Amino acid sequence: MDQSTPVRRKRKPDNIETENPHKVSIQCGQQIYIRSNHHGWETAVLKDVRSATSSHGNKVFVAETMSGEELVCGQEDVLHCSSVPLSSSECLSDLAPLNEATVLHCLWERFKLDCIYTKAGSTVVAVNPFKDIPDLYSLNTVEAYCTRHSNQQESRAPHIYEIAKEAHSSLQQDSLPRGQCIIVSGESGAGKTVSAKHLLRYLTVVANPLTDLHQDRKLSECTGKGKAIERRILDSNPILEAFGNAVTPRNNNSSRFGKFIQLQIQRSGHVQGAVIQTYLLEKTRVVHQGSGDCNFHIFYQLCGASCSAPDTEQPGWVCQLKALLQGHSFNIVPRKEGVTERKSLQTTLEAMSDIGLSDHLQQSVLKVITAILFLCNVDFTAEDEDFSHLSSQSATCEATVQCCQLLGVSADTLEQVLLHRSIESGGSKRRSVFVKPVSIADARSRRDCLAMLLYSRLFDWLVDFLNQQIKSEGHSSMIGLLDIYGFETFDINSLEQLCINYANEKLQQHYVRHFLGDLQTEYEAERIPWQHIDYDDNQVCLDVLEGRAGVFGVLNEEVYLSRKSNPRSLGERVLDINSNTAIKRPKTFSTHPGFVIQHYAENVRYDLEQITTKNKDNIPMELVRLLQQSSNSFLSHLFEEFHTVEMSGRKRKTVLTKFKVSLDGLLSTLKSCDVHYIRCIKPNRDSQPGHVEPAFVLQQLKANGILETVEICRRGYSTRLPYWEFLQRYGLLIGEEERRTDGSGGKGEDVSDPVEILLQKQQSATPRRSTTPQRVLRRRTGLSSLDHTRKCCAVVLSRVLGPEFVKNGGVQDQFGKNKIFLLQQQFETLEAARNDLRARYALILQKTWCRYRQRKRRQAVRVIWEAWKMYTQRRCLAQQHAAARCIQRGVQGWLAKCRLRDAVKAIKTRTTVSGSSWLTESPGQGGKRKLCPNPPDGQLLFSSTHLGESVSSKENQNPKRDLPSIWESLSENSGIDDGAKSVGYELTEPPSKRLKLTCSTYNNLHDIHIGDGVITRRKIPVGGIRFHTRESVLKNAHVVHKRELERGITDCLMDDLD
C-alpha cells in the first residue's frame, strides 16, 4: 500500500517536516532555536559546530543569542528556526518546521500584534491579553463571522466565534443533529470566563429568532421578542459573576464554581431557552480567605456602595442598607491593594431587574448578604475548655442585634444555637435529646457553618430562579458551554483545590482520550496508514485519585469512621497508596501534614488540616430549624424544603462523592455530544498586559497537549464519516455530474477507472423500476453491500475532486474498513459542491413553486374578477331599474299634474246643469254619464242659486256634516256619479287627485275655504308654511307605503264627521 500519495503531499509539502532533535542538519550562520531556562527556546545564530568532548552528544553547537550572549549546547537543545515570519501563520499546523519552539514563538509574535487567537488544527488557542482590544468582540465582528460562508474561511483571522459558528452550523447540517459542546479550558487566569461570556453572546445573537443573517439587515437592526430571550440569558452572567466569582492571587475574576450552560435550540436553529448547571461552589471562601484572596464580588459591591456618595435614583431600601453598613468593618471582607470592584452594585441590581427579580426579592437577597456580614463579626470568649459565650465587646453585641433583625430570629435563640449542640439518642419510639455546650472552636465552626449554609442556599436559589426564567420545555437539540474553574495551586491547598484540579484532570483525560488517543486508535482500527504519535496520558493520576484504594477512598473512609481525625495518621495512609510516581511525599518539612500529587500541569501539595471536616459537610439540624422558624418570609421559604439527614457509616455522602457523581454526569453528557475545544493560555503569572513568560507558556502548551494536537491535526484527517452517511449526504452529486457530463468523467475525460466501470455495470444491470430484490442484483454483479457503497463513495470523490484522487491512491489512503476519512480541504470542496447543487435544486423548486403559485393566483384573480364583474353588472342593472322607476314615477306625476291642470281649468271656465248637452251618456261605460272635456260656452256646470239652496238646506239640518252633505247634494243635483267621473279622469285615479279636481267647484260657498284640494272652515294661510323638523334617526322614516298614499282626505275624515 502506497503511503506517499500526491494528496498527502499537498497537505504536507516537502519543505515541512516534523522536527527530530537527533537529526539536525544546519549550517554556520543559520538562525536556530536554543533551549533556555528563562525563555524556553531562544533565537540565536549558529557560530560553530564542534565534535563532542563531553556528554553533549555527538556534536556541540556554539550559538550567539540576540542579546550577544554565547551559549554552548548539545544536539538535543537545538531546533530549526522558521524562515518565514511567524506572525503571519494563523494555523500552527502550517508552520515549517513544526516543533515546540516554532509553536511558542508563533504565539509570542502574534501576541505582540494583539492577535490573541491562533488555530491548532480544529482547536483554537487563546492567549489572555489582560486588556481590551478594540473591535475584537464588537457587533460588526459578530456579523462578519456569522455571515461568512465556507468558501471564505481564509478571509478572516482565527477567532472563538469560528468555533461557535461551527457548532451552530453542525446542528443545521445534520438531519439527526447531535448535541454540540464547547469546552473552554486552561489555568486559572487564562481568560476562560471572558471567552465563555463572548461565546454565549455570539450564540444568543446569531441564534436569535429575528436575526435573519441571509438578508441585508444588520444585527443591530434585529429587535423584538428574540432580544428578550438573548437579554435574559446574557443577564444571568453578571448575577453569577457577582455571587460566584472572586479575586485570587492568580486571577482578579476567578470563577469559584463550575458552570455548564445548555442553550436549548429549536429545529430552525433558534435559541428557545437555556439551562444552567453549577458544580461545587467554594462556599468556604465566605468565612475564610487565604493570603491574597478576596471574598465573593457581591460583598465588595455591597460594602463599596455603602462608602460611595448617595444616589437619589436608587430605591429607598438600598439607601437604608447603605446607612446600616456605613461605618462598619467586616472580618470576611479583606482588602487587596490594586483591586477594585469589577462592577458596581447598581449593575448587579439592573441585571436582577432584567431577569425578573422584583424589588422585594432583591431587598431580601441583599438582606441575607448583610446578615452574613454581621454574623461573621460575632465573636466568642472561652470560659473553660468545653464552654464559651458571646463576647462582651460592643462590636459583637451590635453585630448580634443587627444579624438577628435581618434574619428574623431572636438574639436568645441565636445564642442558644451557636453555643449549644443537641445530641439525640434512642430509637424512633423513645428518643432522648441532650443539650451540650460547645467549646470556642466549635462555636466559631457553627457560626461559619451557618454563614456558609445561608450563602450556598441563596446561591442555589438564584440559579434555580434563573433557570425558571430562561428555560424552555421543548427543544430538539442543545449547544453546551462549559466554563469550569481552571487548574490552580496556592501556598496552602485544601479540599477545594483537590476537587478543582480533579475536575481539570477529568477534562484533560477526556481531551486526551477523545482527540489524541481515540483518534489514533481509530486510524489503526480502520487500517489507515498512520505512524503513532506518543502523548502524555494522565490516566495514572486519575487512578491514584479516584481508584478503589485511591486518595478519595482514604479520605471518605476517614469520614465513615465517625471519629476524631488525626491529620498525620491520615497523611501516612494516603502516602501508603504510593504504587507509582503520581503521589509523592512533600520534599520540605511542614508542621501541617500533607501529600503531593503529580498532575498533568504541575505538582501540587495538599494540606490535610481540616480536610476531613470539609469533606463531611456536616450541617447541624439546629441551624436549619432556626432558619425555618424565622419571621423573615423569604428566609423561611428558602429553607422550607431544605433538609439534612446525618447518616452513619458508608451511607453518608461526602463532598468528594457528590462532586464525583456530578462530574461523571457532566462527562457522560460530553460523550454524547460533538465536542469543540478552546485552550486558553495565561502569558504570565502576574496577569500583566503585554508581558510574556515563554517558559511558563511552554509549560502550559505541553500540559494541555497542544503540541501533540497540532501534529495529529497536521498528519491526520479532520473529518471521518461512515460510508452510508457519506453516501446519504453526498450521493446526490453522482446524478448531477452524470447529467452534466453525459456519463464521462468529472473533468470531461472518458471513464476508465475500474471503480467507475463497476458502477456502470451495476447501473446497467439494475433496471430503474425493477421488482428484483437489490440483494439479488448485487449478487449478479459480484458486489457486496459494503463494496457497492464504497464504489459509490469513490465515484462521488472522483467526480468532485477529479479522477486524480482515485488514480493517485486516495482510495487506499483514505478509505477504511467502515469509514471514509477526509482532509479539511476535501471536506470543504464536497460541502461547496453539495451546497451549489442544493442551491440549484432549491432554485428549481422555487421556480416551480412560484410558477404554481402564480398560476393559482391568476386563477384566483380570474374567479374574483368574474365574480366582481357579475356583481357590478347586477348592481348596475339594479341602479338602472331604480332610475327607470324613478323616471317613470316622475313622468306619471308630471302627466297627472298636466291632466289635473287642464281639468281644473276646464271646470273653472265651464258650468253645466243636469241634463246638459255635454254631459252625455257613454256607451262604453255601461250607460253611465261622462263629462265632456269641452262643454259649450256659456253653460255652467252648476247653478249658483241651486247650489246655494242645496247647501243652506243641508247646513240647517246638520251643520257638522257640511262636507258630506255638500258632496251628496252636488252628486244628486248635478248628476255626477259620486264624483268619480269628473273632468278628464277615471275611477282609477287616487282619491286625493279626485278631491282636488272636485273641490274647485266649491269656490262660491260661504264660510268654506278651499285650497290645494283641502276644504275647511278655517282660513288657509296666504303665505307659505315652513316646518322646522329634525331628521329622523330611522333610516326609512320618510318612506310611506304606496297603499297609504292612495287614501284620500275624505277617507280619513269620514269617521270623525259622524
Side-chain angles (χ1 to χ4, degrees):
M1 185 178 296
D2 188 9
Q3 299 183 7
S4 59
T5 63
V7 176
R8 301 292 292 274
R9 283 195 294 271
K10 288 181 181 179
R11 175 169 48 89
K12 183 177 178 181
D14 295 337
N15 59 343
I16 300 178
E17 59 180 5
T18 304
E19 189 67 37
N20 188 350
H22 300 289
K23 296 181 180 180
V24 180
S25 177
I26 53 179
Q27 299 176 358
C28 293
Q30 182 179 350
Q31 278 194 348
I32 59 173
Y33 290 122
I34 258 189
R35 192 186 300 275
S36 172
N37 295 330
H38 300 288
H39 299 89
W41 291 94
E42 190 173 0
T43 306
V45 178
L46 183 63
K47 293 297 183 180
D48 190 14
V49 180
R50 305 171 185 171
S51 301
T53 57
S54 59
S55 60
H56 288 294
N58 297 329
K59 295 181 180 180
V60 175
F61 295 87
V62 179
E64 182 179 354
T65 63
M66 295 301 164
S67 60
E69 182 182 1
E70 186 175 293
L71 297 177
V72 178
C73 57
Q75 186 176 359
E76 66 277 2
D77 297 330
V78 175
L79 292 177
H80 277 291
C81 185
S82 177
S83 59
V84 297
L86 296 177
S87 59
S88 61
S89 299
E90 296 180 347
C91 185
L92 297 179
S93 58
D94 295 337
L95 294 176
L98 177 61
N99 50 54
E100 62 181 50
T102 54
V103 170
L104 173 64
H105 281 265
C106 178
L107 295 176
W108 192 351
E109 294 296 330
R110 291 178 58 82
F111 180 77
K112 293 178 182 178
L113 300 177
D114 287 342
C115 299
I116 62 174
Y117 295 120
T118 308
K119 293 194 66 175
S122 59
T123 306
V124 171
V125 180
V127 184
N128 191 356
F130 295 110
K131 64 178 181 180
D132 294 331
I133 298 177
D135 297 331
L136 185 60
Y137 306 108
S138 64
L139 200 60
N140 293 331
T141 306
V142 173
E143 185 176 4
Y145 277 91
C146 67
T147 57
R148 188 178 63 188
H149 300 288
S150 59
N151 54 359
Q152 300 175 343
Q153 289 188 358
E154 300 300 330
S155 61
R156 285 282 174 180
H159 205 286
I160 56 174
Y161 290 165
E162 197 169 351
I163 297 294
K165 175 179 173 59
E166 181 181 352
H168 184 258
S169 301
S170 299
L171 294 179
Q172 297 177 322
Q173 291 178 356
D174 299 336
S175 57
L176 296 175
R178 296 184 62 190
Q180 305 291 316
C181 183
I182 303 176
I183 298 180
V184 186
S185 61
E187 289 199 4
S188 178
K192 300 183 300 300
T193 302
V194 176
S195 298
K197 179 170 61 177
H198 289 294
L199 285 170
L200 182 64
R201 177 174 176 265
Y202 175 89
L203 291 171
T204 51
V205 170
V206 172
N208 192 321
L210 297 182
T211 303
D212 194 353
L213 302 178
H214 301 286
Q215 303 295 332
D216 294 333
R217 294 189 305 165
K218 299 293 184 181
L219 290 179
S220 56
E221 301 175 3
C222 301
T223 57
K225 294 183 179 179
K227 282 287 184 180
I229 300 175
E230 170 196 344
R231 189 72 265 158
R232 287 200 304 268
I233 296 176
L234 293 180
D235 280 335
S236 63
N237 262 333
I239 299 175
L240 294 178
E241 283 189 10
F243 287 86
N245 289 22
V247 176
T248 64
R250 306 183 66 174
N251 188 3
N252 290 337
N253 190 32
S254 176
S255 297
R256 308 318 300 167
F257 69 103
K259 177 175 61 178
F260 184 53
I261 302 177
Q262 299 183 35
L263 295 177
Q264 299 170 338
I265 309 296
Q266 300 175 348
R267 292 182 62 88
S268 59
H270 298 151
V271 173
Q272 190 173 2
V275 175
I276 302 175
Q277 297 180 6
T278 58
Y279 303 93
L280 189 66
L281 175 69
E282 190 185 4
K283 58 184 179 181
T284 56
R285 183 172 291 269
V286 176
V287 295
H288 177 73
Q289 301 82 34
S291 176
D293 280 339
C294 293
N295 213 323
F296 293 101
H297 291 327
I298 186 62
F299 292 103
Y300 293 91
Q301 292 178 3
L302 192 58
C303 295
S306 64
C307 301
S308 61
D311 190 355
T312 57
E313 297 181 357
Q314 289 182 345
W317 60 270
V318 177
C319 299
Q320 293 177 2
L321 285 179
K322 285 184 177 181
L324 183 63
L325 295 173
Q326 198 167 8
H328 291 84
S329 60
F330 299 99
N331 299 331
I332 61 172
V333 187
R335 292 289 177 177
K336 184 178 180 181
E337 296 182 1
V339 177
T340 58
E341 295 80 17
R342 293 182 57 84
K343 295 180 180 179
S344 63
L345 179 65
Q346 187 63 28
T347 304
T348 304
L349 294 179
E350 290 176 358
M352 288 182 174
S353 300
D354 294 340
I355 206 66
L357 273 173
S358 62
D359 289 344
H360 175 69
L361 289 178
Q362 295 178 29
Q363 180 181 3
S364 302
V365 169
L366 292 187
K367 276 186 176 180
V368 175
I369 299 298
T370 308
I372 294 174
L373 289 173
F374 283 108
L375 176 62
C376 293
N377 274 6
V378 175
D379 202 2
F380 306 92
T381 302
E383 292 189 0
D384 55 26
E385 185 178 354
D386 296 329
F387 185 74
S388 61
H389 61 83
L390 291 178
S391 176
S392 59
Q393 296 180 359
S394 59
T396 299
C397 297
E398 184 178 358
T400 304
V401 172
Q402 297 294 345
C403 178
C404 293
Q405 290 180 355
L406 294 170
L407 294 179
V409 298
S410 63
D412 295 337
T413 307
L414 180 62
E415 182 179 0
Q416 175 69 21
V417 168
L418 294 179
L419 298 179
H420 299 81
R421 65 187 183 98
S422 300
I423 303 175
E424 296 182 359
S425 63
S428 58
K429 295 183 178 180
R430 186 174 181 179
R431 182 177 297 272
S432 301
V433 179
F434 301 93
V435 178
K436 180 183 178 181
V438 298
S439 62
I440 184 173
D442 292 339
R444 290 173 177 171
S445 176
R446 293 171 75 87
R447 176 202 62 192
D448 295 344
C449 182
L450 179 59
M452 292 186 294
L453 176 63
L454 283 169
Y455 194 84
S456 61
R457 183 58 185 151
L458 179 63
F459 183 81
D460 293 339
W461 180 85
L462 281 173
V463 174
D464 293 339
F465 185 85
L466 291 174
N467 285 330
Q468 292 176 3
Q469 298 299 314
I470 63 178
K471 72 177 181 181
S472 176
E473 295 298 333
H475 61 279
S476 60
S477 56
M478 71 92 178
I479 297 180
L481 188 59
L482 181 61
D483 174 24
I484 205 164
Y485 15 56
F487 186 89
E488 61 185 17
T489 175
F490 302 118
D491 295 337
I492 298 178
N493 303 286
S494 188
L495 183 70
E496 296 81 11
Q497 283 68 43
L498 180 61
C499 293
I500 289 173
N501 295 338
Y502 168 68
N504 282 271
E505 287 284 354
K506 293 289 286 186
L507 293 178
Q508 177 67 14
Q509 176 64 18
H510 180 271
Y511 177 78
V512 167
R513 281 282 181 88
H514 172 74
F515 198 84
L516 303 181
D518 294 346
L519 199 60
Q520 298 191 84
T521 304
E522 186 179 20
Y523 288 153
E524 296 171 356
E526 292 289 331
R527 301 295 188 269
I528 298 295
W530 182 258
Q531 184 178 0
H532 190 80
I533 299 175
D534 296 331
Y535 58 91
D536 294 333
D537 193 355
N538 62 336
Q539 184 61 44
V540 176
C541 180
L542 287 175
D543 293 339
V544 169
L545 290 175
E546 63 181 5
R548 188 174 185 84
V551 175
F552 287 0
V554 173
L555 296 180
N556 290 334
E557 185 179 2
E558 188 70 15
V559 175
Y560 300 151
L561 293 176
S562 299
R563 65 182 183 185
K564 188 175 182 180
S565 177
N566 186 355
R568 292 202 174 275
S569 62
L570 179 62
E572 294 298 330
R573 292 171 56 195
V574 170
L575 292 174
D576 288 342
I577 305 173
N578 188 11
S579 59
N580 46 58
T581 58
I583 184 170
K584 300 178 180 179
R585 189 179 297 273
K587 294 182 179 180
T588 59
F589 175 79
S590 175
T591 56
H592 302 288
F595 59 94
V596 176
I597 296 293
Q598 187 177 358
H599 291 284
Y600 73 96
E602 59 179 308
N603 297 343
V604 180
R605 184 186 187 280
Y606 296 99
D607 192 0
L608 289 174
E609 286 289 336
Q610 299 296 323
I611 198 169
T612 304
T613 304
K614 293 179 180 180
N615 194 25
K616 286 181 180 179
D617 195 22
N618 187 17
I619 301 176
M621 279 302 301
E622 308 94 85
L623 302 181
V624 179
R625 295 194 192 100
L626 172 71
L627 299 175
Q628 288 176 344
Q629 298 171 2
S630 170
S631 60
N632 187 336
S633 59
F634 174 77
L635 202 58
S636 59
H637 174 72
L638 203 63
F639 289 89
E640 182 179 3
E641 299 180 356
F642 183 85
H643 59 86
T644 175
V645 180
E646 295 185 5
M647 296 182 179
S648 59
R650 296 188 177 273
K651 295 182 180 180
R652 175 181 295 181
K653 291 185 178 181
T654 62
V655 173
L656 289 173
T657 303
K658 296 177 183 178
F659 181 70
K660 186 177 182 300
V661 170
S662 62
L663 196 59
D664 290 341
L666 172 63
L667 292 175
S668 64
T669 303
L670 297 181
K671 290 179 181 178
S672 62
C673 300
D674 292 336
V675 183
H676 310 267
Y677 295 95
I678 296 177
R679 313 294 276 181
C680 296
I681 302 296
K682 187 176 181 180
N684 58 80
R685 291 182 174 87
D686 299 329
S687 303
Q688 296 297 322
H691 177 59
V692 176
E693 296 179 9
F696 181 57
V697 173
L698 185 61
Q699 177 187 355
Q700 297 176 67
L701 294 176
K702 292 180 178 179
N704 292 331
I706 294 178
L707 301 176
E708 293 84 355
T709 301
V710 173
E711 180 63 25
I712 290 178
C713 290
R714 182 175 181 174
R715 292 170 51 188
Y717 303 93
S718 60
T719 306
R720 59 201 58 84
L721 295 171
Y723 288 113
W724 65 267
E725 185 175 348
F726 178 89
L727 194 59
Q728 182 182 15
R729 186 170 183 82
Y730 303 109
L732 72 165
L733 298 174
I734 300 177
E736 173 65 18
E737 292 294 333
E738 288 177 351
R739 286 191 294 270
R740 183 172 63 85
T741 60
D742 298 328
S744 61
K747 300 298 181 180
E749 300 178 359
D750 295 334
V751 179
S752 56
D753 190 90
V755 177
E756 297 183 355
I757 294 175
L758 287 175
L759 179 63
Q760 288 184 352
K761 183 179 179 181
Q762 173 71 22
Q763 292 177 347
S764 60
T766 306
R768 190 167 186 178
R769 294 182 180 179
S770 174
T771 58
T772 307
Q774 290 195 7
R775 183 180 301 175
V776 178
L777 293 175
R778 290 169 185 164
R779 191 182 305 120
R780 291 175 184 174
T781 57
L783 293 174
S784 65
S785 175
L786 183 59
D787 290 337
H788 171 73
T789 307
R790 286 179 181 174
K791 301 301 181 183
C792 293
C793 294
V795 170
V796 172
L797 290 174
S798 63
R799 296 291 170 84
V800 176
L801 303 179
E804 293 80 6
F805 173 79
V806 179
K807 293 180 181 179
N808 296 330
V811 175
Q812 288 80 2
D813 287 345
Q814 297 180 227
F815 277 49
K817 294 176 62 178
N818 301 302
K819 292 182 180 180
I820 182 172
F821 295 81
L822 300 172
L823 300 174
Q824 183 66 25
Q825 185 178 3
Q826 296 172 349
F827 175 74
E828 293 172 2
T829 305
L830 285 170
E831 283 293 320
R834 179 176 179 268
N835 292 336
D836 293 341
L837 181 60
R838 293 180 65 187
R840 291 198 295 270
Y841 286 164
L843 185 60
I844 294 174
L845 292 176
Q846 187 178 10
K847 289 180 179 179
T848 306
W849 168 250
C850 290
R851 191 183 306 113
Y852 170 78
R853 188 175 59 180
Q854 192 69 17
R855 185 170 62 251
K856 288 295 184 182
R857 186 175 296 174
R858 289 197 191 99
Q859 294 176 0
V861 169
R862 188 179 298 109
V863 171
I864 294 173
W865 179 77
E866 291 177 355
W868 174 255
K869 184 178 178 180
M870 295 176 61
Y871 168 75
T872 53
Q873 290 177 354
R874 287 195 301 268
R875 185 176 178 182
C876 183
L877 186 60
Q879 290 177 355
Q880 291 176 0
H881 289 172
R885 287 193 297 268
C886 183
I887 294 173
Q888 184 180 8
R889 287 194 298 268
V891 172
Q892 290 176 356
W894 178 76
L895 292 175
K897 289 180 181 180
C898 292
R899 290 193 299 268
L900 178 61
R901 185 177 63 251
D902 295 341
V904 171
K905 184 177 180 181
I907 292 172
K908 286 183 178 180
T909 56
R910 293 179 178 85
T911 58
T912 184
V913 293
S914 176
S916 59
S917 61
W918 58 273
L919 187 60
T920 60
E921 187 174 321
S922 176
Q925 299 296 331
K928 295 184 179 180
R929 291 174 293 176
K930 181 177 181 183
L931 185 63
C932 295
N934 296 314
D937 295 339
Q939 294 183 3
L940 298 176
L941 182 61
F942 297 105
S943 173
S944 60
T945 306
H946 179 76
L947 182 60
E949 293 176 356
S950 177
V951 173
S952 62
S953 63
K954 294 298 180 180
E955 288 179 354
N956 294 333
Q957 292 178 5
N958 190 0
K960 295 182 180 180
R961 296 181 58 194
D962 49 358
L963 185 59
S965 301
I966 294 171
W967 181 257
E968 291 174 2
S969 63
L970 290 174
S971 300
E972 293 174 359
N973 296 330
S974 62
I976 298 176
D977 200 6
D978 294 333
K981 299 179 181 62
S982 62
V983 181
Y985 61 83
E986 301 292 339
L987 293 175
T988 59
E989 294 292 345
S992 58
K993 294 183 179 180
R994 286 184 282 164
L995 182 60
K996 287 182 180 181
L997 296 176
T998 307
C999 290
S1000 62
T1001 62
Y1002 304 141
N1003 291 332
N1004 298 328
L1005 298 180
H1006 299 285
D1007 299 328
I1008 296 297
H1009 301 280
I1010 302 173
D1012 293 334
V1014 178
I1015 304 175
T1016 178
R1017 290 178 177 177
R1018 299 178 182 178
K1019 188 176 181 178
I1020 296 177
V1022 180
I1025 300 176
R1026 185 174 298 173
F1027 293 91
H1028 299 277
T1029 60
R1030 181 178 298 174
E1031 185 180 2
S1032 175
V1033 296
L1034 301 177
K1035 182 178 180 181
N1036 300 317
H1038 63 285
V1039 178
V1040 181
H1041 199 272
K1042 180 178 179 181
R1043 291 193 300 271
E1044 297 178 3
L1045 291 175
E1046 294 178 355
R1047 298 182 64 86
I1049 295 179
T1050 56
D1051 298 331
C1052 298
L1053 298 176
M1054 288 298 292
D1055 297 336
D1056 297 336
L1057 296 174
D1058 291 338

